[in-house]
Amino acid sequence: MAKSTDQKILSTLWSAGCGSHGGCGCEIFVKDGKVTRIEGDKNHPWNQGRLCAKGLAITQYIYHKDRVLYPLKRVGERGEGKWQRISWEEAYGTIETRLKDIRAKHGAESVIFCQGTGRDIGGPITFLMYAYGSPNWVQVGLAGHACYTPRLGAMAATLGPSGYCVADCSQFLEERYESKEWTPPKYIIIWAQNFTAGCHDGFYGHWIVDCMKRGTKLISIDPRSTWWTTRSEIHLQNRPGTDGATALGMLNVIINENLYDKKFVEKWCYGFEELRKRVQEYPPEKVEQITGVPAHLLRQAAKLYATSKPSAIQWGEPVDAMPAGSVVSQAITLLWCITGNVDNPGGNVIARNSHGVTTYPFSSAELSELYGVDLVKRLNEKRIGANDYPMIKGFRGWVQPDVLINQMETGKPYPVKGAWIQTSNIIGGQAADPRRHYNAMKKLDFIVCVDLFQTPTTMALADIFLPAVSIAEKESFRTWWQPLGVSVKAIDALGECKSDWEINLEMAKRLATTPIKYNNVRELIDSRLAAGNTNFEKLKAKGGWEFPPKGHPSRPYYRYEKGLLRKDGKPGFETPTGKCELYSKTFEEWGLDPLPYYEEPKESPIATPDLSKKYPFILTTGRRSPVFFHSELRMIPWLRELDPWPVAEINDKAAASLGIENNDWVYVENMHGKIKVKAKVTPTAPANVVTVPHGWWLPETDGKAPNFFSTWDHNVNNLTTMGNQGKSGFGGTNYRSGLCRLVKIQGGKE
Ligand SMILES: Nc1nc2c(c(=O)[nH]1)N[C@H]1C(S)=C(S)[C@@H](COP(=O)(O)OP(=O)(O)OC[C@H]3O[C@@H](n4cnc5c(=O)[nH]c(N)nc54)[C@H](O)[C@@H]3O)O[C@H]1N2
Ligand SMILES: Nc1nc2c(c(=O)[nH]1)N[C@H]1C(S)=C(S)[C@@H](COP(=O)(O)OP(=O)(O)OC[C@H]3O[C@@H](n4cnc5c(=O)[nH]c(N)nc54)[C@H](O)[C@@H]3O)O[C@H]1N2
Ligand SMILES: [Mo]
C-alpha cells in the first residue's frame, strides 16, 4: 500500500516506459521527487485498475542505469560506439545547420522522418516534418506498411474515412458494461489476434473476458492454440497467410445460404450482386484446399456468426501482413457489412478520435483542411511511393517502405540524404531485411536518433543522439479513440532528457519556413484540445480523462442513420455512393480490384514447392510477448526474467522427429539467413508451423559494430525480405508466412 507520504498523480500511460498502444489510466506514486511505483486507476473505464507487467515494471525502466541522460554526438566512425556528451544548444545548432544545408542542396524531401508503431509520436514527428517541409513520414522497413494501415485503408475504401470499426465491448461508453445502450456481442470472432499478449491498437483482451462473463461466445481463427482458441466454440486453424480465402469462403456461405441481413444490405450497401458473383469462386471445399480448414467447420462458423446478432469481429496484425493485406482486410470488413453488424451495439462499432481531437494531421483530408490542397498536392507528388501506388498518394500520408529502400540504394528518382529517427528501432526489430537497411542507411549524410536507450539502430546509425523522457516525466495527450486523456508530468526529467514534443517544437521553430505560433508545448497541446472544447488543465483536474458528450459524432451508435458520418450531415457513409461499398468505388478509382480476391503468399508450400522441400516449416514471426514491446525492455530485470531468451515455438512431435528438446539451442534458417534461438517445444504449435518472436537483441552484449548487441544472431527479420508488397502498396511480406528449417546446434543447452 502507498505510504501516506507518497503523492499520487493521475495520468495516462503510453510510451515511453511501458511501450504499448494502451492509454491506461494510472496512478503514479511519487516520494521525494522519485516514482516509487505505478498502479492501474480503478476509476478509469478502459483498464478499470488493471495494469500489465510492463507498466508495473516502469520504475526499473525510468531509473535504469543504461538510460541515456544527455545529448550525445558521435566522435568515431558510424558504429564504433564512440560518443561525446554535448549541450542541447550544440545538438540543436548542429542539427539545424545540417538539415538546412541538406534542404538547400537537395530539397526537404531528401530527409525522411522515421517513427515506429503508434505510440505518443505521430503528433510530434509529423509536426516537425511538415514544418521542415518533407512529405516523407515512414516506418522504415515495415514492409508493405504491414501494420494497421492496410486495415485502415480497406475500411476507408468500404465505409469511408470515418468508418473505422472495432469489436464493441462497450469501450466507447463511460458506464461500460452497465450502460443501457450496450448489448454484449453474441459471438466475437477473434481473427489473428492474441490479446493476452498486448493492448493492440487501443483494444484490451480483458474486455473480451468481461463480455464472456456476460454471455459472449468465441470463434477463433489462428494457426496456433492460444488461451482464446482453447475457450472458443470453434477454432479455425488455417495455414498462415491464407485468411483471404477463409473470409471469402465465409462470405460465400452467408450469401449462398441467404443468411445476410437483407434490410441492411438493401438500404445501406452498394454492389451486392457483384460481390455475390465474386464469392462463387470460393466454395468452402475449395477454401479447405487452400487453408486446411475443414469445409464443415467453416460453414458452421459462418452460420453462427451470421445468425447470432449482434456479433463482432476483432482482428490483428497478421491480416495486414498477408500478401494482399488491404484485400484480406476488405473481405473481412464485408462480413460485418453484409450481416448488418455496423455501428450497432455489440457489433463492429465505429471508432473515432475522442471529441474529434487529433494529435496531429495524418490523413490527406485533414492536411488539406489545415494547410490547403496545394501543399498536400506537392507533398503527394514528392512522397516516396506516391507515384507508384495511388493508395499511397490518396490515403494517410505514409511513404511506401519497399520503394524507400530501393530509393535509398539507387538515389532515384531523388537521393535520400538524411533521417530523423524517433521512437523506432529499425535495425533491431522493425525492418524486414535489416542488413539491407543497415547498408543503405549508413551511407546517409546525417542521422538523428531520439530514444531513451542505445539500441542496434542508434549504435549503427546515429550522428546525434537526443535523450527522450519516460511517460512519467512529460506532458502529453492522447486522442486515439476514447476517452480524451492527458499524461501528467509526475517527476522532473532525469538528467537533461526532454520530451518528444519539446524537442520537436524547438527544432520546428529553427527549421520552419513559416513561423511557428506556439511559444511552448502547453500552448500547442491546448490548441489541439480546443477542438474538443477543453484544455490540459481541465482534463488534468478531472483525473486525466473525459468521454465525449452525448450526441457527439465520436460517440456510438447508428451514426450512419443520424447523419453523423458525413461532412454534409446527410445519413449514410462518407463514400462515393454514400453506402457501405461491397464493390469499392475507391479501390476502383485507385486502379485496384473493387472486389476482394485471394492471393497466395509469395513463399509457401503451394507457391514455391521446391523451396518448401528444403525448408519444410511455415515460419510465422512476431507473435507478441506480454512482457516486451517489440524490441524494447530486454534490459528490464523483472521482465527479462519472465521471457529470458529468443525462442522458436515448435510442435512437440515435429521436434522429436528432429531430435530437438525443450531449451535446446537451434538455428532457424532459410534462403535469406539464419538466427539462433532456444527451442520451445509445445503441442500448441501446429505440426508444420514454427513461430518466432521478433525484435530480439541482447543489451548486455557488445553494442559496437559489428555485433550491435547481437542483433544479427537473434533478430528473426534476418530471415525476411522487402519487395513483397500487395498491389495497393500496402500489405504483405514474409513476416507472417515464410519458410524455414530447424537445425539443432550440437552441444545444445546453455
Ligand atoms: N519479424 C517481425 N518484425 C516485425 C513485426 C513482426 O510481427 N514480425 N511487427 C512489425 C510491427 S507490426 C511494428 S508496428 C514494428 C514496430 O517497430 P518499432 O516501433 O520500431 O518498435 P521498437 O522495436 O519497440 O522500437 C521503438 C524504439 O523507440 C524507443 N522509444 C519508446 N518510446 C519512446 C518515446 O516515447 N520517445 C522516443 N523518442 N523513443 C521511444 C524505444 O527505446 C525503442 O528503441 O515492428 C515490425 N517488425
Ligand atoms: N505486449 C505487447 N503488445 C503489443 C505489441 C508488443 O510488441 N508487445 N505490439 C503491438 C503492435 S505494433 C501490434 S501490430 C499488435 C500485434 O498484435 P496481434 O495483432 O495480436 O498479433 P500477434 O500477437 O503477433 O498475433 C496474433 C495471433 O495471430 C496468429 N497468427 C499468425 N499468423 C497468422 C495467420 O496467418 N492467420 C491467422 N488467422 N492468425 C495468425 C498468431 O499465432 C497469434 O496468436 O500488438 C501490439 N501490442
Ligand atoms: Mo504494429
Side-chain angles (χ1 to χ4, degrees):
M1 285 303 292
K3 293 197 196 92
S4 55
T5 49
D6 283 9
Q7 189 196 351
K8 183 169 91 177
I9 291 127
L10 296 177
S11 189
T12 305
L13 269 189
W14 209 5
S15 68
C18 49
S20 116
H21 285 166
C24 292
C26 69
E27 302 172 337
I28 307 181
F29 292 91
V30 175
K31 190 178 179 195
D32 302 330
K34 271 193 94 171
V35 176
T36 53
R37 70 183 201 289
I38 296 194
E39 287 184 12
D41 176 1
K42 290 184 189 59
N43 295 319
H44 195 292
W46 270 35
N47 56 312
Q48 299 183 328
R50 299 157 174 115
L51 208 57
C52 69
K54 298 182 272 106
L56 294 170
I58 209 164
T59 48
Q60 292 197 336
Y61 181 92
I62 297 172
Y63 301 109
H64 198 282
K65 67 174 178 33
D66 294 344
R67 250 189 83 178
V68 179
L69 300 179
Y70 306 96
L72 301 175
K73 90 171 165 196
R74 173 173 68 78
V75 285
E77 291 299 308
R78 276 206 181 121
E80 245 190 328
K82 291 190 181 146
W83 304 96
Q84 186 189 316
R85 178 177 164 182
I86 54 173
S87 67
W88 276 99
E89 192 42 49
E90 182 180 346
Y92 283 143
T94 308
I95 299 168
E96 182 182 347
T97 309
R98 297 293 303 268
L99 291 184
K100 279 185 171 165
D101 187 45
I102 294 178
R103 183 168 62 190
K105 288 195 183 116
H106 305 282
E109 64 274 13
S110 63
V111 177
I112 53 175
F113 288 76
C114 321
Q115 69 162 84
T117 187
R119 305 181 181 84
D120 180 20
I121 189 59
I125 201 165
T126 47
F127 175 72
L128 174 60
M129 180 180 77
Y130 292 120
Y132 180 68
S134 171
N136 288 323
W137 175 43
V138 59
Q139 285 190 249
V140 176
L142 185 69
H145 235 295
C147 175
Y148 199 47
T149 304
R151 274 175 278 169
L152 287 180
M155 285 187 269
T158 307
L159 295 153
S162 52
Y164 176 85
C165 295
V166 291
D168 181 23
C169 299
S170 77
Q171 64 268 38
F172 298 112
L173 303 165
E174 190 168 345
E175 313 78 22
R176 295 300 311 257
Y177 313 102
E178 314 313 321
S179 168
K180 293 206 168 44
E181 290 175 76
W182 181 70
T183 320
K186 289 210 172 73
Y187 277 86
I188 297 180
I189 302 186
I190 300 182
W191 203 314
Q193 193 150 57
N194 184 21
F195 316 94
T196 37
C199 44
H200 327 94
D201 318 323
F203 190 97
Y204 296 77
H206 54 73
W207 295 347
I208 295 195
V209 177
D210 285 328
C211 287
M212 288 161 76
K213 289 181 188 160
R214 290 160 177 85
T216 300
K217 294 187 178 129
L218 305 181
I219 295 170
S220 288
I221 307 181
D222 194 311
R224 291 189 308 151
S225 295
T226 67
W227 191 92
W228 306 96
T229 65
T230 57
R231 281 147 185 89
S232 295
E233 304 260 299
I234 301 179
H235 176 194
L236 306 182
Q237 220 163 351
N238 59 344
R239 173 164 66 91
T242 61
D243 297 65
T246 310
L248 283 154
M250 289 175 74
L251 287 166
N252 173 298
V253 174
I254 294 170
I255 291 176
N256 286 351
E257 299 196 17
N258 272 316
L259 306 175
Y260 58 95
D261 182 331
K262 287 165 202 82
K263 272 197 195 136
F264 185 85
V265 166
E266 209 168 285
K267 186 156 186 206
W268 298 110
C269 295
Y270 170 84
F272 182 73
E273 280 313 313
E274 288 89 339
L275 179 66
R276 180 201 292 276
K277 213 169 143 213
R278 174 62 59 88
V279 301
Q280 299 316 312
E281 295 169 32
Y282 301 94
E285 283 67 26
K286 181 174 164 191
V287 168
E288 177 172 344
Q289 300 295 314
I290 301 170
T291 62
V293 171
H296 75 275
L297 273 188
L298 185 90
R299 281 203 173 87
Q300 212 180 321
K303 274 187 206 168
L304 276 181
Y305 168 69
T307 55
S308 313
K309 213 167 161 186
S311 285
I313 301 178
Q314 182 59 29
W315 52 359
E317 191 270 351
V319 169
D320 299 314
M322 284 173 204
S326 50
V327 183
V328 185
S329 308
Q330 181 193 18
I332 298 174
T333 302
L334 298 191
L335 282 166
W336 66 74
C337 293
I338 63 163
T339 55
N341 280 301
V342 180
D343 211 29
N344 55 332
N348 275 78
V349 66
I350 290 174
R352 301 179 83 176
N353 282 23
S354 199
H355 299 59
V357 175
T358 51
T359 49
Y360 227 75
F362 298 124
S363 70
S364 302
E366 267 180 276
L367 285 174
S368 307
E369 240 169 59
L370 275 155
Y371 302 102
V373 274
D374 276 358
L375 178 103
V376 173
K377 194 164 158 268
R378 261 191 297 125
L379 297 181
N380 280 339
E381 271 158 16
K382 290 281 184 181
R383 179 176 308 126
I384 296 169
N387 295 322
D388 308 82
Y389 295 102
M391 195 162 161
I392 300 286
K393 186 176 279 195
F395 179 68
R396 231 191 162 214
W398 288 114
V399 158
Q400 207 295 331
D402 304 81
V403 179
L404 170 67
I405 181 70
N406 287 338
Q407 184 158 335
M408 283 198 282
E409 287 167 344
T410 61
K412 290 190 177 119
Y414 59 81
V416 177
K417 291 289 178 185
W420 175 279
I421 302 173
Q422 190 168 24
T423 317
S424 184
N425 187 356
I426 297 167
I427 309 298
Q430 176 159 276
D433 202 343
R435 178 81 68 178
R436 191 172 164 201
H437 282 90
Y438 168 59
N439 287 332
M441 293 192 84
K442 73 178 179 194
K443 294 197 187 110
L444 302 188
D445 289 352
F446 185 60
I447 300 176
V448 181
C449 287
V450 192
D451 208 299
L452 292 89
F453 289 89
Q454 292 282 10
T455 69
T457 300
T458 61
M459 285 300 268
L461 298 176
D463 297 316
I464 300 277
F465 183 120
L466 302 179
V469 291
S470 76
I471 193 70
E473 301 154 66
K474 70 172 162 186
E475 279 187 357
S476 192
F477 66 119
R478 184 183 155 100
T479 70
W480 196 2
W481 314 149
Q482 275 142 46
L484 190 58
V486 287
S487 296
V488 176
K489 190 170 168 172
I491 52 166
D492 289 338
L494 268 68
E496 289 180 5
C497 297
K498 289 183 192 289
S499 83
D500 294 300
W501 275 118
E502 264 179 288
I503 295 168
N504 291 20
L505 177 58
E506 176 60 28
M507 278 319 312
K509 283 185 184 165
R510 289 171 181 249
L511 293 169
T513 41
T514 46
I516 299 289
K517 61 180 179 185
Y518 313 110
N519 291 309
N520 52 49
V521 170
R522 182 62 82 80
E523 274 183 30
L524 198 167
I525 294 177
D526 279 345
S527 80
R528 298 300 295 173
L529 292 173
N533 284 324
T534 186
N535 62 36
F536 189 91
E537 281 304 329
K538 275 194 206 162
L539 286 166
K540 182 178 162 189
K542 285 188 163 182
W545 54 270
E546 180 188 87
F547 274 78
K550 284 208 162 142
H552 193 275
S554 60
R555 206 176 174 284
Y557 293 101
Y558 299 115
R559 278 160 282 190
Y560 55 89
E561 287 180 351
K562 299 174 188 157
L564 293 174
L565 295 182
R566 292 172 57 91
K567 288 215 181 71
D568 61 14
K570 288 190 183 144
F573 297 84
E574 190 78 87
T575 55
T577 60
K579 296 192 168 184
C580 283
E581 298 195 345
L582 311 179
Y583 176 103
S584 171
K585 288 275 187 194
T586 309
F587 274 172
E588 189 172 51
E589 190 191 309
W590 288 337
L592 301 167
D593 192 332
L595 293 162
Y597 55 90
Y598 173 67
E599 202 177 306
E600 181 64 23
K602 295 240 165 64
E603 294 163 4
S604 80
I606 292 180
T608 52
D610 289 344
L611 276 176
S612 223
K613 276 187 207 126
K614 208 166 162 198
Y615 302 107
F617 291 100
I618 297 170
L619 172 66
T620 154
T621 75
R623 72 99 178 102
R624 286 1 185 192
S625 163
V627 300
F628 299 132
F629 201 68
H630 300 286
S631 74
E632 286 185 54
L633 307 170
R634 301 299 188 286
M635 71 293 279
I636 306 302
W638 286 347
L639 303 177
R640 187 70 182 275
E641 197 181 321
L642 292 167
D643 197 350
W645 297 110
V647 295
E649 291 177 19
I650 308 166
N651 172 270
D652 49 348
K653 293 191 187 70
S657 73
L658 295 167
I660 293 170
E661 289 177 16
N662 207 28
N663 281 331
D664 279 349
W665 281 104
V666 294
Y667 289 122
V668 183
E669 50 184 57
N670 67 13
M671 45 291 180
H672 312 301
K674 85 175 177 187
I675 57 157
K676 191 177 156 185
V677 299
K678 280 197 172 207
K680 185 175 166 193
V681 176
T682 166
T684 60
N688 61 343
V689 177
V690 168
T691 300
V692 181
H694 70 303
W696 266 96
W697 53 292
L698 305 177
E700 65 274 23
T701 62
D702 183 11
K704 297 192 298 295
N707 191 53
F708 297 132
F709 302 110
S710 310
T711 188
W712 308 122
D713 297 331
H714 301 297
N715 177 358
V716 72
N717 276 334
N718 294 304
L719 277 59
T720 63
T721 52
M722 299 294 286
N724 303 310
Q725 64 272 31
K727 291 190 183 77
S728 67
F730 289 131
T733 192
N734 33 24
Y735 279 144
R736 304 295 190 156
S737 47
L739 297 171
C740 73
R741 70 179 170 210
L742 301 167
V743 179
K744 180 172 166 165
I745 301 175
Q746 294 308 326
K749 294 189 172 59
E750 268 172 39

